[in-house]
Amino acid sequence: MAGKYKGVQAVLLEHNSNCIFSSCGNHTLNLVSVDCAESCKEAITYFGTVQQMYNLFSSSPQRWEILKKYLLVSLHGMSKTRWSARIDGVQPVAQYLNSARKALNELESLNLTAQAGMELQSIQKHMSKFECILMLSLWMKLLTMIHQTNLVIEAHNATLDVERDNIESLINDIQQICEQRDAILTESKLVAQNIGISSEFSANRNLPTESDAEQHSRVNVFLVIIDSIQSGLTHRFESLQLICTLFRFLWQFNRLSNEDLLSAAEQFQQQYNKEISKDLSDETFFLK
């Protein structure tokens, strides 16, 4: 549909070069989230582990009863079509991480298949790392912001300028998250200490020291995720900005100065000079 060369967008532009393509705001926001969650292998592993844990418990009534014994809320699978709703999948794990770990430990007493046993060990290993807690804290904040923005722009009375303002607000909020990295790190370390998990980054062959691992987490995980969201929001909503810039004077004429109003009307007329006469500027001023 949106293909620039062979899609419907391209066909319409052949007939009228003034057409402006702008996709559904909710769909676009979901695409930004998808790109962000696949921006680094740590994010892919994190969401994969959360989904894997849901699959492990939900595949057996006996396992689900064990989960209910420890968690006050239910787990949810990761939505494939509505990324902003993934807050429902992340939130229970983030709020009841220690309880989830206890439920996982009790599964060891069951007669699991070899495949289920391997999955259990993989989940337990990941959820015993400080990096998991840090990702839980970061994604809870990011997904909450994205989900709240999605709820606003999908409202039946939300106009394009409301969508634009909320996307701009989301970009600013994401920037604040970037500046709060140290606070998120401190918060995650306190959580780790309270539930008996090491608050140090995991060193490995490629990152021999804890300092190297922390630097990798900051540069190649945290900043990559933040940059992916910011660049995605800026790039994917460019057409929305263009539409609002061109048309906003039609609904904001009472709030614009005479000079700004006439300038916006002239810009609009020049864009659509084959359809709109130069009288538009005078008519718009008279309307005000």
Side-chain angles (χ1 to χ4, degrees):
M1 292 292 291
K4 293 182 179 180
Y5 305 106
K6 294 184 179 181
V8 175
Q9 177 184 182
V11 174
L12 291 176
L13 286 172
E14 285 182 5
H15 292 277
N16 189 345
S17 60
N18 282 328
C19 285
I20 303 174
F21 173 79
S22 182
S23 62
C24 167
N26 298 97
H27 178 64
T28 303
L29 198 52
N30 282 334
L31 291 178
V32 171
S33 301
V34 170
D35 292 342
C36 174
E38 297 177 351
S39 59
C40 61
K41 66 178 183 180
E42 288 80 3
I44 296 173
T45 300
Y46 164 73
F47 282 110
T49 300
V50 174
Q51 180 63 45
Q52 193 177 33
M53 183 169 67
Y54 171 78
N55 293 341
L56 185 64
F57 280 109
S58 63
S59 61
S60 162
Q62 185 182 18
R63 298 175 197 170
W64 195 257
E65 287 300 318
I66 292 176
L67 177 70
K68 288 168 61 178
K69 185 169 69 173
Y70 288 97
L71 261 68
L72 300 177
V73 296
S74 180
L75 289 181
H76 297 273
M78 298 284 103
S79 172
K80 294 181 179 180
T81 57
R82 187 173 172 81
W83 258 86
S84 62
R86 289 206 169 195
I87 185 67
D88 295 331
V90 173
Q91 194 170 32
V93 182
Q95 291 181 337
Y96 302 99
L97 176 60
N98 205 34
S99 298
R101 293 175 66 228
K102 291 178 180 179
L104 287 167
N105 292 338
E106 186 165 331
L107 291 184
E108 295 176 349
S109 62
L110 302 180
N111 186 22
L112 300 175
T113 64
Q115 179 65 29
M118 292 175 60
E119 291 177 357
L120 175 60
Q121 291 180 5
S122 174
I123 297 169
Q124 288 175 313
K125 181 179 179 181
H126 181 75
M127 295 186 67
S128 297
K129 293 182 178 180
F130 173 67
E131 287 83 350
C132 176
I133 297 177
L134 186 58
M135 291 293 280
L136 279 171
S137 179
L138 174 61
W139 280 108
M140 267 295 294
K141 292 175 171 57
L142 294 177
L143 288 176
T144 298
M145 292 176 179
I146 293 173
H147 184 53
Q148 290 174 344
T149 301
N150 223 341
L151 291 177
V152 172
I153 65 177
E154 74 178 359
H156 73 279
N157 59 345
T159 54
L160 286 178
D161 52 330
V162 170
E163 180 179 330
R164 178 203 57 195
D165 292 344
N166 278 272
I167 293 299
E168 290 179 351
S169 178
L170 177 59
I171 293 174
N172 293 332
D173 290 341
I174 298 297
Q175 180 58 38
Q176 290 182 13
I177 290 292
C178 182
E179 297 168 358
Q180 295 170 1
R181 197 261 177 179
D182 291 341
I184 295 174
L185 184 61
T186 301
E187 172 189 291
S188 301
K189 287 186 176 183
L190 288 174
V191 172
Q193 294 168 2
N194 289 335
I195 61 176
I197 293 179
S198 171
S199 58
E200 295 184 352
F201 288 88
S202 304
N204 54 48
R205 183 175 60 185
N206 297 323
L207 304 167
T209 68
E210 199 264 343
S211 177
D212 292 332
E214 180 177 355
Q215 177 70 2
H216 171 80
S217 175
R218 186 182 72 84
V219 175
N220 298 311
V221 180
F222 182 85
L223 293 180
V224 167
I225 291 173
I226 296 297
D227 182 67
S228 176
I229 296 180
Q230 289 180 319
S231 60
L233 289 173
T234 302
H235 172 69
R236 290 187 180 274
F237 284 92
E238 282 180 345
S239 58
L240 172 65
Q241 292 282 4
L242 176 59
I243 291 173
C244 288
T245 299
L246 271 176
F247 288 87
R248 68 187 178 93
F249 76 97
L250 293 173
W251 66 81
Q252 292 184 347
F253 57 87
N254 273 329
R255 286 178 277 170
L256 297 175
S257 66
N258 293 343
E259 182 180 354
D260 290 340
L261 178 59
L262 292 176
S263 175
E266 289 175 0
Q267 181 182 2
F268 183 83
Q269 189 277 327
Q270 291 171 5
Q271 177 75 19
Y272 301 100
N273 56 56
K274 294 182 180 180
E275 295 85 9
I276 306 295
S277 73
K278 293 183 179 180
D279 294 335
L280 177 68
S281 298
D282 295 334
E283 291 173 350
T284 306
F285 183 70
F286 178 74
L287 177 63
K288 179 183 178 181

